[in-house]
Amino acid sequence: LVTLLGAGGVGKTRLSLQVGANLLDEYSDGVWFIELAPLTESSLVTEALAAVFGIVRQGDRSLIDSIVASLRNKKTLLILDNCEHVIDEAARISDTILHGAPKVRILASSREALGVEGESALRVASLAVPEPDERLSAESALGYGAIALFVDRALVANRRFEFTDDNCETVAEICRQLDGIALAIELAAPRVKVLSVEQLASRLNERFRLLTGGNRTALPRQQTMRALIDWSYDLLSENEKAVFRRVSVFAGSFSLDAAGEVCSDEGLGQWDVLDVLSGLVDKSLLVADLAGSEQRYHLLVSTRQYALERLAETPERLGVQRKHAEFFAKLAGDADRSWATTPTKRWRSTLDIEFENFRAALEWSLGEQADPQLGAELTAALKWYWPLARRSVEAVAHIEAAIAASLAQPPTLVRVRLRIALAHTLGAQALYGRAKAAAGQALADAEQLGDNEGIGLALYHQAVSAFTDPEYDAEGTLKRAADIFESLGNKRMIGSCLFARGRRGVVIANPDIANAEKLFQDALVIARGTGDERLVCVILNNLAELKFGEQNVGEAIRFGKEALQYALTLNLVALASSNYSNLAAYLIESGEYGDAMVNAKQALRLGLDVALNTTVYLVADHFANLAIESGNLELSARLVGASVAGYESLGNDLEPTERHLRDRCISRLKAHIPEERLQALIEEGRGWSLEQAVAAMQSV
């Protein structure tokens, strides 16, 4: 007995039929298909089987004994399709046949295993889809089963449909949103008769209205996605229905602990939830994932939307959402308290896996204004995490929403931490003007509250944000902040202050390079000792900059590559983009233009991936230099203009490396282009949109 398991619509029936067709020659007495889905009662299973073979009750024998007697000496394959709603009877009959007819083999399909001795259960995977960040062409995309099926069915529905490099990623996103489920794709693809793929993708939030109109000869439950999931839902016990509805509040995956906290109630204990989760996995309504040493679970996208709609029909929705937000606020608070003593990679990993749940909790608490205070506490607790998150630009919107919700009240410790989070996140994006303003507001609130730690953090971020401002006493501010952290025993922030003092020493008008390098090395010892791997990466990057300023390009490249390796290992995309950018500058200086181009393109790609406009404009000066090497002087001048406008829009000053690149580029351009023409080209570039600037860089 082999049982094919999987969610509804994944293709179990089709796979069973194909296996049967492939094996026809191996079974001398035939391959027989028994469709159980139309049966309304378990007692009808035996009759359905008998009807296929034309068997009638023989003498005093029961009908099942008559079937076994008929099959006893036959070599045949029985395909029992869709057993889930009559599973007990299907299991009993299968066991009886296998014991009484030794040459018979059975291939069953079901949402859960039959539980018969000797059964081999094989889970049928959804069709393959590409990862979200994979770059696709039309040709490479067709290597994924889900996309190939979509294109095939779309062409059947509309011969004018074209699958191109321009729309292949949209089709891929549609297939991802449909979880690669064959039936869902077959229901969606024919919509290209009236919708473009872009319109189809935008309407997937209405998927149960969209995914209708399947094969008229199919069973009713296979003609719409809703009917398909209705079928599975109706077979659940009341406890299973309750947990299925409640786990829909989780976005992405979730842990057993989270499910126990959120889904339990007075009548359903946390251990009961574990048993129910196992049942939902067995019934192919929930997917179990092993993430490291932890078992996690997730709903398929369509299944989750269905469960959310079911949850919305009950009075328990708000209570379940509140428990979800409270659980993740507590998780974030625990992480916040452990930040100063936990290595970055390990600390971050516990939060990265819950990012979608943090987002869902914030959308409920802040977006719906269901509990702004709880949302503010969650947002503030993630203050060290936001710059590490791949979507740190999105994080700013969450932080600002939480601050806005708190402004009607007097200053609180939570609001101080929110403003710190804003300054920290904006600073990581090199938006220094806005970061300094946020730090200043945090300082005012912290001083009013007598919040010593808040004062130290605000001073630190204010100084870091103003490090290129010659009028600001960054050195004195950082020493004051370090004294506060010394009194609090926060070694990690002491290391950050030492690093920031060194960075300030590099960019001032008369830099003290020797002292800056000593400060960097002292900070590096503390960062390594406290496990602050992000700070290690940043310090190495700045040591590279320092060496470049000393015209020691070889050492700059060495430190730069070490910093890049840290950033890639920690998956710090924004920092990796900056590292690639700096390496491109060093390689341009050393005349290694091919390698410089590779690094500049990587910096641009990663900057675009995280919507970090700072990096995009920063690397424009690199491409301007590279355009000269490719002989396109006018494009180079326009890129200089785009970079100038970009820095102005961000309110940032050029750092020494970028200043050197800018001066180098303009000097070379002046040698070949008359001054008036050069200024006109630069002005033309200043008028470019971000999209025009990116397209120009990609063309170099």
Side-chain angles (χ1 to χ4, degrees):
L1 169 64
V2 173
T3 305
L4 302 178
L5 305 178
V10 78
K12 300 184 296 297
T13 298
R14 187 173 304 181
L15 180 56
S16 298
L17 288 167
Q18 188 62 54
V19 170
N22 291 352
L23 296 178
L24 275 171
D25 293 339
E26 296 191 24
Y27 288 91
S28 55
D29 295 298
V31 175
W32 301 84
F33 183 81
I34 300 96
E35 173 58 85
L36 303 182
L39 305 184
T40 56
E41 296 180 18
S42 295
S43 60
L44 299 175
V45 175
T46 308
E47 294 181 16
L49 190 59
V52 167
F53 291 104
I55 295 172
V56 296
R57 190 189 306 268
Q58 300 172 9
D60 294 334
R61 287 176 173 170
S62 67
L63 189 54
I64 184 61
D65 288 341
S66 298
I67 293 172
V68 171
S70 173
L71 296 175
R72 181 164 289 123
N73 297 313
K74 291 184 177 178
K75 184 179 182 183
T76 188
L77 172 65
L78 306 182
I79 299 176
L80 301 181
D81 195 46
N82 292 295
C83 299
E84 56 270 357
H85 63 307
V86 289
I87 194 160
D88 291 338
E89 186 67 5
R92 186 185 70 82
I93 291 172
S94 296
D95 190 53
T96 301
I97 292 173
L98 292 172
H99 278 89
K103 294 183 180 180
V104 172
R105 300 292 180 264
I106 298 175
L107 177 62
S109 70
S110 178
R111 312 263 170 110
E112 61 180 311
L114 271 61
V116 173
E117 183 181 359
E119 176 184 27
S120 294
L122 302 177
R123 190 160 293 280
V124 179
S126 298
L127 295 173
V129 295
E131 292 296 320
D133 57 355
E134 184 173 346
R135 301 286 174 168
L136 297 170
S137 65
E139 182 180 3
S140 66
L142 287 173
Y144 292 92
I147 295 175
L149 178 62
F150 182 96
V151 172
D152 180 75
R153 296 300 185 263
L155 286 169
V156 169
N158 180 6
R159 284 297 169 187
R160 291 179 296 174
F161 173 74
E162 293 184 10
F163 185 61
T164 66
D165 290 346
D166 291 332
N167 66 17
C168 66
E169 293 195 0
T170 304
V171 172
E173 180 59 25
I174 291 170
C175 293
R176 276 193 292 269
Q177 287 296 309
L178 297 176
D179 297 302
I181 294 174
L183 178 63
I185 292 169
E186 292 195 331
L187 291 171
R191 295 292 182 174
V192 300
K193 288 186 290 188
V194 292
L195 298 172
S196 68
V197 290
E198 291 77 16
Q199 290 171 318
L200 181 57
S202 70
R203 284 167 168 75
L204 280 179
N205 61 337
E206 304 172 20
R207 68 187 63 207
F208 293 122
R209 294 174 58 190
L210 187 71
L211 302 182
T212 61
N215 182 353
R216 290 189 179 89
T217 65
L219 292 165
R221 66 180 175 84
Q222 293 176 334
Q223 293 181 25
T224 74
M225 278 298 292
R226 177 179 290 282
L228 193 69
I229 305 175
D230 274 336
W231 167 268
S232 296
Y233 184 77
D234 290 340
L235 295 174
L236 300 178
S237 69
E238 290 306 312
N239 277 349
E240 287 173 332
K241 287 179 179 178
V243 172
F244 176 66
R245 291 192 304 266
R246 293 169 190 173
V247 296
S248 68
V249 299
F250 293 105
S253 66
F254 56 91
S255 66
L256 178 59
D257 287 342
E261 288 282 347
V262 174
C263 299
S264 58
D265 58 25
E266 292 180 359
L268 188 67
Q270 293 194 23
W271 282 105
D272 297 323
V273 171
L274 170 59
D275 291 336
V276 174
L277 289 177
S278 297
L280 292 173
V281 171
D282 291 342
K283 292 174 173 63
S284 302
L285 280 169
L286 191 63
V287 180
D289 308 301
L290 188 63
S293 60
E294 182 184 33
Q295 187 75 42
R296 293 181 69 84
Y297 304 88
H298 77 270
L299 290 167
L300 299 180
V301 179
S302 296
T303 311
R304 179 174 181 246
Q305 184 172 338
Y306 176 92
L308 278 170
E309 292 181 9
R310 286 287 191 171
L311 182 65
E313 296 168 357
T314 71
E316 66 185 7
R317 180 179 72 89
L318 289 177
V320 174
Q321 287 179 309
R322 176 173 297 282
K323 289 166 74 173
H324 174 271
E326 288 173 345
F327 178 87
F328 287 101
K330 180 181 182 302
L331 188 150
D334 292 343
D336 186 30
R337 286 183 284 277
S338 69
W339 172 80
T341 56
T342 308
T344 302
K345 188 173 183 179
R346 177 153 55 88
W347 181 85
R348 178 187 175 181
S349 66
T350 63
L351 300 177
D352 272 349
I353 201 167
E354 304 293 5
F355 182 87
E356 299 297 337
N357 283 306
F358 291 136
R359 173 194 272 168
L362 292 174
E363 287 175 352
W364 175 78
S365 57
L366 297 174
E368 297 182 27
Q369 290 294 296
D371 192 335
Q373 179 60 33
L374 181 60
E377 291 171 3
L378 169 57
T379 308
L382 293 171
K383 63 181 179 293
W384 300 118
Y385 173 68
W386 291 125
L388 303 179
R390 189 175 180 88
R391 308 167 190 78
S392 61
V393 175
E394 174 190 324
V396 172
H398 291 311
I399 300 167
E400 289 180 333
I403 292 172
S406 73
L407 291 178
Q409 305 297 326
T412 63
L413 294 178
V414 170
R415 192 164 83 196
V416 172
R417 297 308 180 274
L418 286 171
R419 294 196 190 281
I420 295 297
L422 184 59
H424 187 38
T425 308
L426 291 170
Q429 297 173 22
L431 298 172
Y432 300 121
R434 292 170 62 191
K436 183 182 178 184
Q441 292 169 327
L443 181 60
D445 283 351
E447 288 177 335
Q448 184 175 336
L449 294 166
D451 172 16
N452 207 31
E453 182 187 54
I455 291 170
L457 291 172
L459 289 170
Y460 167 77
H461 285 292
Q462 197 172 53
V464 168
S465 303
F467 78 104
T468 60
D469 182 356
E471 304 299 320
Y472 185 81
D473 181 17
E475 176 77 7
T477 302
L478 288 165
K479 285 182 177 179
R480 181 186 167 197
D483 288 342
I484 293 174
F485 296 129
E486 186 75 45
S487 70
L488 296 172
N490 191 332
K491 290 185 177 179
R492 185 169 283 192
M493 285 308 303
I494 293 171
S496 294
C497 289
L498 288 172
F499 157 70
R501 287 174 57 199
R503 191 177 190 212
R504 168 72 170 185
V506 173
V507 301
I508 57 177
N510 298 301
D512 186 345
I513 298 298
N515 186 56
E517 185 166 4
K518 181 181 184 305
L519 288 167
F520 283 158
Q521 294 293 352
D522 290 345
L524 193 59
V525 170
I526 294 175
R528 293 190 193 278
T530 60
D532 194 346
E533 294 158 327
R534 178 184 182 276
L535 183 58
V536 170
C537 176
V538 173
I539 294 170
L540 291 171
N541 195 34
N542 279 267
L543 280 168
E545 291 284 83
L546 183 148
K547 293 300 180 183
F548 187 67
E550 292 182 311
Q551 299 181 337
N552 189 340
V553 180
E555 278 291 276
I557 292 173
R558 183 177 71 81
F559 277 120
K561 286 182 176 179
E562 188 178 354
L564 175 61
Q565 194 56 49
Y566 261 95
L568 294 175
T569 301
L570 295 169
N571 196 27
L572 300 174
V573 180
L575 270 176
S577 179
S578 175
N579 296 150
Y580 275 121
S581 174
N582 286 342
L583 277 170
Y586 311 153
L587 291 164
I588 288 170
E589 186 69 13
S590 64
E592 299 173 65
Y593 299 115
D595 288 344
M597 179 69 79
V598 170
N599 282 270
K601 286 186 173 180
Q602 283 288 77
L604 178 61
R605 181 181 67 81
L606 293 180
L608 292 172
D609 281 350
V610 292
L612 198 57
N613 293 352
T614 315
T615 302
V616 174
Y617 284 125
L618 180 149
V619 81
D621 283 304
H622 303 61
F623 280 103
N625 276 272
L626 291 168
I628 293 176
E629 301 308 321
S630 64
N632 200 332
L633 300 180
E634 294 199 347
L635 177 60
S636 173
R638 293 185 182 98
L639 284 169
V640 169
S643 180
V644 170
Y647 272 88
E648 288 175 351
S649 69
L650 297 169
N652 290 355
D653 296 321
L654 284 168
E655 294 187 35
T657 296
E658 284 64 49
R659 169 59 63 193
H660 174 78
L661 281 179
R662 176 82 57 80
D663 292 345
R664 179 184 189 277
C665 185
I666 291 177
S667 175
R668 296 184 69 191
L669 289 172
K670 284 182 175 179
H672 297 91
I673 302 175
E675 180 68 24
E676 187 175 339
R677 175 59 180 161
L678 177 59
Q679 291 306 313
L681 291 168
I682 290 174
E683 283 302 311
E684 186 179 332
R686 283 172 62 93
W688 276 352
S689 65
L690 177 64
E691 292 72 22
Q692 287 175 302
V694 168
M697 285 184 261
Q698 291 172 334
S699 72
V700 174

